[in-house]
């Protein structure tokens, strides 16, 4: 195969592009599932995580055998970050997508790199970077443009506000996860943290489902299972591994930079697959959000 002869840098760039592509499809799968049947957000999340579980178990078992036993403090950190990351953040995101467009969701969610830096400054003693101010201004100006677009189309200000609040909560919880992950990776190791953290998230999603919904809620039309499987494979499992592999080859900064394509890809897919209108407001908003992320990820 041609890719076997690629350099580490070229392969890393390709993997980062694939990860951005996969993550950008998540909102599309969620929207398609909501259109196929009146499925609850927690049911859809439980399906996504359950279908991802076999892959996480294999990775988790391999990671568990690869290092020293974890201390009680390590387990505590792992549980907290696992609950924040792919459980709380995903739950809030799925709830928000019931109210707003996939394009606006991706723009709001993509503020997490700037929010991660804010969390680091406020709670982890990180040094304040002056680039944060214009980056935040650019990002939130971009969200404002896309927000105005959704308000014009929806005609229901309350619904858009509720959806935007849920998704911003998702971005904030994921920022907390990202900021804490830097500490956890140094203590636990990258592979162990990723695999075990995802297992914690999966367990939390299943417990939430069992406590809030009857088992009959899992009986859904086949398109919901298809979209759930697509989301599990192409927007959860594969992108997580692609992103980790890309970071090993080209570093986290360049991987994040390539990931700024995500909002643009989601806008394109929401236009082509969901028939959501694409406007100058959305394109301008996406450009501003991406510009804000570029400001905080480029080297000084």
């Amino acid at each position: 195969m041609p890719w076997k002869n690629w350099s580490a840098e070229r392969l890393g760039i390709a993997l980062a592009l694939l990860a951005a592509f996969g993550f950008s499809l998540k909102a599309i799968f969620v929207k398609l599932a909501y259109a196929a049947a009146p499925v609850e957000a927690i049911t859809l999340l439980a399906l996504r995580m359950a279908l991802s579980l076999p892959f996480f178990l294999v990775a988790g078992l391999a990671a568990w055998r690869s290092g020293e036993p974890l201390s009680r403090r390590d387990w505590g950190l792992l549980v907290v970050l696992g609950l924040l990351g792919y459980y709380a953040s995903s739950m809030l995101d799925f709830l928000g997508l019931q109210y707003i467009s996939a394009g606006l969701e991706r723009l709001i969610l993509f503020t997490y790199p700037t929010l991660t830096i804010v969390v680091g400054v406020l709670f982890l003693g990180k040094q304040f970077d002056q680039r944060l101010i214009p980056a935040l201004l650019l990002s939130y100006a971009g969200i404002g443009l896309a927000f105005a677009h959704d308000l014009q189309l929806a005609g229901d200000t309350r619904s858009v506000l509720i959806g935007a609040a849920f998704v911003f909560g998702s971005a904030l919880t994921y920022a907390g996860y990202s900021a804490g992950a830097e500490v956890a990776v140094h203590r636990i190791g990258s592979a162990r943290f990723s695999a075990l953290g995802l297992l914690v998230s999966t367990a939390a999603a299943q417990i939430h489902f069992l406590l809030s919904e009857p088992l009959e809620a899992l009986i859904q039309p086949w398109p919901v299972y298809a979209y759930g499987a697509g989301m599990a494979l192409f927007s959860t499992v594969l992108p997580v591994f692609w992103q980790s592999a890309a970071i090993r080859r080209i570093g986290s900064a360049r991987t994040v930079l390539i990931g700024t394509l995500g909002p643009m890809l989601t806008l394109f897919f929401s236009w082509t697959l969901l028939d959501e209108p694409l406007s100058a407001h959305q394109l301008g908003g996406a450009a501003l959000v991406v510009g804000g992320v570029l400001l905080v990820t480029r080297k000084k």
Side-chain angles (χ1 to χ4, degrees):
M1 294 183 181
W3 58 266
K4 289 186 176 181
N5 299 320
W6 289 2
S7 65
E9 181 181 21
R10 187 179 180 187
L11 185 57
I13 292 171
L15 288 166
L17 285 169
L18 284 171
F21 176 83
F23 285 132
S24 70
L25 282 173
K26 185 192 70 175
I28 308 302
F29 282 125
V30 173
K31 281 289 194 180
L32 288 170
Y34 285 156
V39 58
E40 293 293 331
I42 182 57
T43 303
L44 194 56
L45 177 60
L47 279 173
R48 173 203 187 188
M49 301 308 287
L51 292 169
S52 305
L53 184 59
F55 302 95
F56 297 156
L57 283 173
V58 172
L61 184 61
W64 178 258
R65 293 173 173 174
S66 65
E68 297 295 324
L70 300 182
S71 68
R72 186 175 298 178
R73 182 181 176 186
D74 292 336
W75 274 114
L77 183 62
L78 193 63
V79 168
V80 169
L81 294 178
L83 292 175
L84 277 178
Y86 287 88
Y87 166 63
S89 178
S90 294
M91 188 70 241
L92 292 168
D93 186 36
F94 281 33
L95 288 169
L97 280 165
Q98 294 178 328
Y99 298 94
I100 61 175
S101 68
L104 178 57
E105 178 265 358
R106 181 52 46 176
L107 291 182
I108 297 174
L109 199 58
F110 208 69
T111 59
Y112 84 87
T114 52
L115 291 174
T116 300
I117 295 175
V118 172
V119 170
V121 170
L122 293 178
F123 301 106
L124 299 178
K126 296 290 185 69
Q127 187 175 2
F128 182 76
D129 191 334
Q130 294 296 327
R131 292 174 297 169
L132 187 59
I133 296 174
L136 287 171
L137 292 176
L138 279 176
S139 294
Y140 292 108
I143 290 171
L145 275 178
F147 193 75
H149 170 268
D150 267 40
L151 282 177
Q152 288 176 356
L153 289 181
D156 184 357
T157 304
R158 183 174 178 273
S159 291
V160 177
L161 288 172
I162 291 172
F166 274 130
V167 178
F168 184 76
S170 173
L172 193 57
T173 51
Y174 195 77
Y177 164 82
S178 298
E182 187 175 347
V183 177
V185 164
H186 287 298
R187 291 181 58 87
I188 302 171
S190 176
R192 297 180 88 195
F193 169 71
S194 297
L196 296 176
L198 285 165
L199 286 174
V200 170
S201 302
T202 302
Q206 306 314 314
I207 292 169
H208 184 166
F209 171 78
L210 291 172
L211 291 176
S212 63
E213 299 290 332
L215 286 176
E216 290 77 11
L218 290 174
I219 302 173
Q220 296 290 335
W222 72 263
V224 173
Y225 298 124
Y227 296 135
M231 185 167 27
L233 182 61
F234 297 112
S235 297
T236 307
V237 175
L238 288 177
V240 165
F241 290 119
W242 284 334
Q243 190 174 60
S244 297
I247 290 171
R248 284 200 304 271
R249 288 167 173 82
I250 61 174
S252 58
R254 293 181 72 187
T255 302
V256 169
L257 289 178
I258 293 170
T260 57
L261 290 170
M264 298 295 191
L265 290 170
T266 300
L267 285 175
F268 174 75
F269 291 133
S270 64
W271 175 51
T272 54
L273 300 177
L274 301 177
D275 291 326
E276 290 183 357
L278 185 63
S279 71
H281 284 79
Q282 285 183 309
L283 292 174
L288 290 173
V289 171
V290 168
V293 173
L294 290 175
L295 275 180
V296 297
T297 53
R298 69 178 175 85
K299 293 182 179 179
K300 292 183 180 179

